[in-house]
Amino acid sequence: MLVVHALWVDGRVALWAEEPPPADSGSLVTRGRRHPYAVAGLDLDGGAATSAVRTLRLPTRDGRPEPSPAAAMPVGEGRARLRAWDVDTAEYAPDDALDLLRGLGALAGEDIVLADSTRWLAAVASFAAGLVARGRMLPGIVGDEARWLPVLTGRDAAYTRALALALPAAALAAARSTTAVARSTPAAAPSAAAAASPGAGARAVALAEVLDAFTDAAGRAALAAAGAGPARPAGDAGWLAALTGRDRRIGGLAPDAIERLRDRLAGWEADAVGGAVRACFRLVEPPEPEPGEEAPAEPRWALEFALQAADEPTLVVDAERVWRSRGALKALQRHIPAPQETLLAELGRASRLYPALEDALRDARPVALSLDTDGAHRLLSDAAPLLAAAGFGVVLPGWWRRASARLGARLTARSSGGTAPGTVATDSGLGLDAVVDYRWELAIGDEPLTEDELRRLTDLKTPLVRLRGQWVELDPRRLAEGLSFIERHREQEAMTVADLLHLAGGAAEGPGGLPVVEVAADGWLGDLLSGEADLRLGDGGVPDAFEGKLRAYQMRGLNWLRFLETAGLGGILADDMGLGKTVQLLALIAGAAPGPTLLVCPMSLVGNWQREAARFAPSLRVHVHHGADRARALDPAEFDLVVTTYSVATRDAEQLGAVSWHRVVLDEAQAVKNAATKQAAAVRALPARHRIAVTGTPVENRLADLWSIMEFANPGLLGSATKFKERYAEPIERFGDADAAARLRRVTQPFVLRRLKTDRSIISDLPEKLEMDVVCSLTREQASLYQAVVEDMLARIDSSEGIERRGLVLATMTRLKQICNHPALALRDGSRLPGRSGKLARLEEIAEEILAAGERALIFTQYAEFGAMLRAELSARFGREVAFLHGGLPKASRDALVARFQEASASSPPLFVLSLKAGGTGLTLTAANHVVHVDRWWNPAVEDQATDRAFRIGQRRAVQVRKFVTAGTVEEKIAALIKDKRGLAAKIVGTGEGWLTELSTADLRALLTLDPSA
């Protein structure tokens, strides 16, 4: 396996590949300072790269570089230190790196893994290309070169801030300190650096450099595709020519002429993007007539003016207050020296996009613009998007763009044969290609229009009308086309289930180009569209071959799977971890079927499927297709269930593809989340009548994960990967588009079944989970050690920079957390344990209560060395056996340890200490009803997974979860961050502790310094 890293250094993208060491790497001798596992000359683009050697400061143990986190290799137990290593790189100019980075995702799979730095640079490259495609760039001058620069306003600026926060330190590990080159962007303009927010500091500057370079490269590529030539005439034409091709030097202009041009370009950009305070426009609809009062013949709308903070849209000062002010205005959380001039300048800037504002500017003190209905519609449909894209604030009525305020088409569909809800006509063609009967009608929202209303609307010539008490957008041309379409198509053309689903999701237009405002259906189609087929279906019973009892929600899951199978559709079973996805699948497989089932899963789960099949469906003929001696040909008549792994399915794609499978099941289906890998392509190509993907995490990182899994279950349902990205992924992930998210949910809901074990309507007998923070005090020894480390490390951190500083910050965090656990862990001196740690004292008190009650506990720590200490101390303290599970245990010992604990007999250990990495997943330990997290991982998801070892099906008692936090220390401060800002923690803290390395020394001091109360 190779881990591909990408660095930004000296204005170029440097790629290098890390090959994790082989099993016998202990005998290797490093070649001087050269990284022993780097693959030299990684050239992915046929000679576009230049070879170089870069010096990186990498964490090092025992004279060898530590594997990067992306390698998923175990780390050593010794202390890691930063050491310089020479790494062979293949380096690309931004022009060459742009497409290369965007295409690297296709290489990712089992053999090639992309590091976080590579993914980040690819995301910036993709964002830059998107800006250029939308025309969000302007020409500028950097030094003596012509450049295309990004224009960032609105959602683009917000996304840029997110990119800055997500910047991994490794992306700049080899970057040199350079003096910023002057560019034509004015200080007030939201360039990449400014948009990333002042708090982002070095991240903002780094992102600005990368984004500017990729935007320039993308702009030149777009011009080249449009046929712009690389001619080099002199003068102004020479500057224009320098904006195309690879030669960016400006020819034929004297230095003073370049400066004048730079000033003109700065004015252009300032005019395009505005400053910290901007104009805001609010459209107010005409007042509704009082009862008995006749509506005016020509209702008047008002476009009100205001000033608004560009970085905080909720801070607004209306125009009337601006004109009442005398001199400077203290508002919008800032000092505005000339508010009246600012408002007039902003209105003048906006008038170039919306000329109607010139009428208001004839007033000495404009506060609003009066509009008729046609003018209001032109503003809503044309001018408002332009103003918003240019960075102005725009506030529109809430009903605008709602489906309930649009004239649209309503589709009513009927299941073939008029089947009743919960049933499927098995004698008809089924699946996504099945043909359905349907009927169109015109509607406002989900309310069909009467004939009188249609006639009245047809006679109106206005684009906005008040109908049934609300304003509605009316396109007379589309209304006429829709009516004509419906009249012409009384005899309907064929429509498939897939067509119906795309219409229901808003992915296609209705008759005459009208939006589809509702799709209704009866029978099994209605069940499918509702997404509640599992609740509506009758109980088909458990197959005779299944020896087990299903819970009510599991029975619904089985019936839902049967429903999809009968309808010829695939599905994603995405129940929460521990709800029994395996038994639901086995109950389905145990039923009568015209052919065998192929189940593809990770190697670690093959034995589990064998054991569970033998337990719940012993009559099934199960065959494991794995190993060097596996059969070269499979006879489908000999087996009911064939279990294989993803790697074997990829290698034996031709052999497995020759079998006519009734069903193909993917367990842990997130293994195919990258659609471009050979693994994903191989399983998608397997022939089957019915396809099921099983996963607890259908979306791990990106919506593309969902597309890839759904492409396996129901090929073509979500369109091509490119269309999916344009229609759903980019609007949702980049801009948080709620409408796009709702459309995607409507399309996928019928095919995804997800239940959570915290939902009491799903599983009412799972006991409660009681979570609490346990605040522990430091001993005097711990406090003095803590303070000494803080003072020493802050002095060293303040005098360091780059990767050395980041390494010191992480080392400090580790050291302080170890001191909070116990001085002996931090000092590694083998000294005694009792009486020296507040955490240990509190743990012993809690353990004593648990043992006195005859109960059992799981005790998690992220430090295996501390786990060994706790095992010895607790065992000596209570005279009871204490189990200890860590990553060094072989599988047989691990299984035996878990089995003994689960026996819950008098001879089995009541306390189980676990290393968080080794014991946080993949275990069922319901014999315990207490969970103690001695130290915090600072990733809520990791802690929750560990807690779920006890809080899962089979647990009969309330689970008490205690999370130790040391008062007055960094532990307490970060625990508060996780608790108070859990959404932010999921994005930043959830990625690990790397975000801490980017804090300023002052921020670190505030975070690390021991509170006097401690």
Side-chain angles (χ1 to χ4, degrees):
M1 179 182 72
L2 297 181
V3 180
V4 179
H5 297 263
L7 312 172
W8 180 262
V9 51
D10 295 338
R12 298 171 64 82
V13 173
L15 295 183
W16 67 284
E18 171 193 8
E19 186 173 20
D24 61 349
S25 61
S27 62
L28 291 179
V29 178
T30 58
R31 301 185 294 279
R33 296 192 321 142
R34 186 65 59 93
H35 192 291
Y37 311 125
V39 177
L42 178 72
D43 187 351
L44 302 175
D45 199 23
T50 57
S51 297
V53 177
R54 293 288 178 181
T55 300
L56 311 181
R57 290 181 62 80
L58 303 175
T60 305
R61 296 179 198 264
D62 300 326
R64 287 178 175 76
E66 190 85 345
S68 68
M73 299 287 291
V75 298
E77 293 292 335
R79 184 176 179 180
R81 299 179 183 275
L82 289 177
R83 178 182 168 185
W85 291 91
D86 289 341
V87 174
D88 298 305
T89 63
E91 303 194 354
Y92 299 81
D95 297 310
D96 299 313
L98 188 69
D99 289 334
L100 175 65
L101 283 170
R102 298 173 69 195
L104 272 177
L107 296 176
E110 282 190 326
D111 299 327
I112 294 181
V113 175
L114 302 184
D116 288 344
S117 60
T118 313
R119 294 184 182 279
W120 184 82
L121 283 168
V124 178
S126 181
F127 179 52
L131 289 172
V132 170
R134 291 183 285 115
R136 307 298 296 160
M137 63 176 184
L138 284 174
I141 296 177
V142 177
D144 60 352
E145 295 183 342
R147 296 287 183 91
W148 290 104
L149 302 172
V151 175
L152 303 168
T153 57
R155 289 178 171 179
D156 290 329
Y159 183 68
T160 309
R161 288 191 287 271
L163 276 176
L165 285 172
L167 188 153
L172 305 170
R176 297 177 181 173
S177 298
T178 56
T179 302
V181 180
R183 51 175 284 187
S184 64
T185 308
S191 64
S197 84
R203 291 170 178 265
V205 176
L207 173 63
E209 181 183 348
V210 178
L211 183 57
D212 285 359
F214 282 147
T215 303
D216 180 58
R220 294 170 189 277
L223 289 172
R232 312 294 301 175
D236 284 351
W239 169 72
L240 292 173
L243 289 168
T244 64
R246 291 194 172 218
D247 189 352
R248 291 159 170 81
R249 293 169 302 167
I250 301 173
L253 282 181
D256 59 337
I258 291 179
E259 284 305 313
R260 287 194 300 272
L261 180 57
R262 191 194 305 276
D263 292 341
R264 288 159 55 196
L265 291 172
W268 183 7
E269 186 165 359
D271 191 51
V273 300
V277 175
R278 66 188 183 182
C280 177
F281 302 94
R282 176 173 175 261
L283 182 64
V284 180
E285 62 192 51
E288 190 170 353
E290 296 293 332
E293 182 183 351
E294 187 176 349
E298 292 188 6
R300 303 299 296 181
W301 303 65
L303 182 64
E304 297 177 346
F305 309 147
L307 286 179
Q308 182 183 51
D311 58 348
E312 185 51 69
T314 58
L315 301 178
V316 178
V317 176
D318 61 70
E320 289 186 351
R321 181 182 171 190
V322 170
W323 294 119
R324 289 198 306 267
S325 67
R326 296 174 179 268
L329 181 64
K330 291 184 177 180
L332 309 181
Q333 295 185 355
R334 51 181 54 81
H335 180 81
I336 308 173
Q340 297 172 355
E341 289 82 350
T342 300
L343 177 60
L344 286 174
E346 283 291 284
L347 292 176
R349 187 167 72 90
S351 68
R352 295 167 194 166
L353 297 171
Y354 183 41
L357 288 172
E358 293 176 1
D359 292 338
L361 287 171
R362 295 190 180 96
D363 189 339
R365 296 187 168 193
V367 296
L369 175 66
S370 179
L371 299 169
D372 60 15
T373 300
D374 286 343
H377 184 258
R378 284 194 295 272
L379 171 74
L380 288 165
S381 57
D382 299 328
L386 287 175
L387 291 169
F392 294 100
V394 180
V395 181
L396 303 178
W399 52 264
W400 178 248
R401 294 305 183 198
R402 278 190 202 149
S404 59
R406 287 183 292 168
L407 173 70
R410 183 176 184 268
L411 176 68
T412 304
R414 292 178 57 241
S415 305
S416 301
T419 54
T423 63
V424 180
T426 55
D427 58 343
S428 62
L430 298 174
L432 291 176
D433 296 327
V435 176
V436 298
D437 298 328
Y438 67 97
R439 177 169 61 88
W440 286 107
E441 54 190 350
L442 299 185
I444 296 294
D446 57 358
E447 293 291 328
L449 294 172
T450 65
E451 291 187 11
D452 287 343
E453 287 173 326
L454 281 172
R455 277 197 297 271
R456 185 161 66 88
L457 291 176
T458 305
D459 294 337
L460 293 175
K461 305 300 181 185
T462 179
L464 295 172
V465 297
R466 195 189 292 272
L467 181 69
R468 298 181 184 177
Q470 70 171 349
W471 284 96
V472 176
E473 182 186 16
L474 179 67
D475 186 335
R477 180 184 60 81
R478 284 192 170 182
L479 173 62
E481 290 178 356
L483 285 170
S484 174
F485 178 93
I486 291 174
E487 289 295 326
R488 292 197 314 268
H489 292 79
R490 296 295 184 187
E491 299 295 328
Q492 299 114 332
E493 298 177 355
M495 178 180 288
T496 66
V497 172
D499 296 332
L500 184 75
L501 290 167
H502 280 286
L503 287 165
E509 293 181 332
L514 289 171
V516 179
V517 293
E518 187 189 17
V519 175
D522 65 358
W524 71 272
L525 277 175
D527 292 340
L528 183 68
L529 288 174
S530 70
E532 298 179 348
D534 64 311
L535 299 177
R536 298 187 185 185
L537 295 172
D539 188 351
V542 178
D544 294 337
F546 183 79
E547 297 183 3
K549 184 177 180 181
L550 295 181
R551 293 170 176 263
Y553 75 88
Q554 292 172 333
M555 194 68 238
R556 291 199 302 271
L558 172 59
N559 287 327
W560 177 76
L561 291 169
R562 286 172 172 160
F563 168 85
L564 293 179
E565 178 182 18
T566 310
L569 302 167
I572 300 176
L573 181 60
D575 281 345
D576 201 0
M577 178 176 57
L579 285 183
K581 296 186 287 292
T582 301
V583 294
Q584 294 175 66
L585 260 296
L586 284 172
L588 178 71
I589 297 169
T597 293
L598 174 66
L599 189 140
V600 187
C601 65
M603 180 59 207
S604 60
L605 295 181
V606 171
N608 183 67
W609 274 101
Q610 284 181 288
R611 289 189 297 271
E612 296 294 281
R615 176 184 175 189
F616 291 104
S619 63
L620 281 180
R621 296 171 298 167
V622 180
H623 170 70
V624 175
H625 183 70
H626 189 267
D629 58 346
R630 63 185 180 274
R632 293 301 150 194
L634 290 172
D635 183 354
E638 294 182 0
F639 312 112
D640 301 311
L641 174 62
V642 175
V643 182
T644 192
T645 66
Y646 284 101
S647 57
V648 171
T650 305
R651 288 194 292 269
D652 293 0
E654 184 176 349
Q655 175 188 351
L656 295 173
V659 178
S660 181
W661 303 103
H662 169 64
R663 182 187 298 112
V664 172
V665 179
L666 302 187
D667 193 10
E668 299 294 341
Q670 63 271 19
V672 298
K673 65 184 180 181
N674 190 332
T677 61
K678 293 180 180 178
Q679 184 170 282
V683 296
R684 280 201 307 269
L686 292 170
R689 301 182 188 91
H690 187 211
R691 295 164 175 261
I692 303 172
V694 183
T695 175
T697 52
V699 179
E700 280 198 323
N701 300 310
R702 304 167 300 148
L703 283 176
D705 302 349
L706 176 62
W707 180 88
S708 184
I709 296 173
M710 188 62 79
E711 183 67 7
F712 160 78
N714 287 300
L717 175 67
L718 297 178
S720 67
T722 302
K723 285 292 183 185
F724 179 81
K725 181 179 179 182
E726 294 173 358
R727 187 176 293 150
Y728 300 115
E730 285 193 348
I732 296 170
E733 294 175 342
R734 184 170 295 175
F735 304 122
D737 191 323
D739 290 338
R743 291 197 307 272
L744 179 59
R745 190 161 51 248
R746 286 196 296 270
V747 176
T748 58
Q749 179 180 259
F751 307 101
V752 180
L753 184 61
R754 179 162 178 79
R755 282 83 59 90
L756 303 176
K757 58 175 174 278
T758 51
D759 184 348
R760 307 299 286 186
S761 67
I762 296 299
I763 178 166
S764 59
D765 60 342
L766 190 66
E768 291 188 44
K769 179 172 65 170
L770 309 174
E771 296 188 85
M772 64 200 85
D773 287 343
V774 177
V775 180
C776 306
S777 300
L778 293 176
T779 63
R780 190 176 298 274
E781 179 188 9
Q782 283 178 296
S784 67
L785 270 176
Y786 187 102
Q787 193 63 35
V789 168
V790 170
E791 292 173 359
D792 175 56
M793 287 298 202
L794 282 177
R796 294 170 60 190
I797 289 169
D798 199 29
S799 61
S800 62
E801 60 183 21
I803 194 168
E804 180 183 7
R805 183 183 188 279
R806 300 182 187 107
L808 283 172
V809 172
L810 292 177
T812 302
M813 302 308 302
T814 300
R815 184 89 163 150
L816 293 179
K817 289 166 70 176
Q818 290 175 341
I819 291 171
C820 290
N821 278 1
H822 200 288
L825 175 64
L827 298 173
R828 285 184 166 82
D829 57 359
S831 55
R832 65 180 183 84
L833 299 185
R836 302 171 62 199
S837 165
K839 281 189 178 181
L840 179 59
R842 190 72 186 96
L843 177 62
E844 289 178 337
E845 292 171 1
I846 291 170
E848 187 171 13
E849 295 173 4
I850 292 170
L851 294 175
E855 296 177 339
R856 296 169 180 271
L858 307 179
I859 302 168
F860 286 100
T861 174
Q862 63 183 285
Y863 302 107
E865 185 179 352
F866 191 49
M869 294 179 182
L870 290 177
R871 176 195 189 184
E873 176 61 22
L874 294 174
S875 179
R877 169 76 170 75
F878 298 109
R880 303 285 296 272
E881 181 185 359
V882 177
F884 177 39
L885 188 150
H886 54 89
L889 284 178
K891 184 178 183 300
S893 301
R894 172 191 177 106
D895 293 346
L897 204 58
V898 170
R900 279 198 65 217
F901 184 79
Q902 281 294 89
E903 286 174 6
S905 65
S907 61
S908 60
L911 301 178
F912 200 163
V913 179
L914 303 99
S915 161
L916 190 63
K917 280 190 176 181
T921 58
L923 299 177
T924 296
L925 297 169
T926 49
N929 65 315
H930 294 268
V931 177
V932 180
H933 293 281
V934 176
D935 40 54
R936 306 298 300 275
W937 189 254
W938 294 343
N939 182 340
V942 173
E943 290 185 344
D944 291 345
Q945 280 188 329
T947 298
D948 283 343
R949 301 309 97 220
F951 185 63
R952 57 196 300 119
I953 289 179
Q955 182 57 262
R956 302 299 180 189
R957 294 163 295 177
V959 176
Q960 297 183 39
V961 184
R962 296 175 176 87
K963 301 176 181 180
F964 282 10
V965 176
T966 311
T969 70
V970 64
E971 286 189 334
E972 185 176 46
K973 295 169 186 177
I974 294 186
L977 172 65
I978 295 174
K979 184 176 181 179
D980 297 338
K981 300 181 179 180
R982 196 173 179 90
L984 180 63
K987 294 179 181 177
I988 303 174
V989 180
T991 62
E993 299 171 2
W995 62 282
L996 294 163
T997 67
E998 303 305 318
L999 296 178
S1000 67
T1001 304
D1003 290 338
L1004 278 171
R1005 186 178 299 278
L1007 185 69
L1008 303 181
T1009 301
L1010 192 62
D1011 191 277
S1013 63

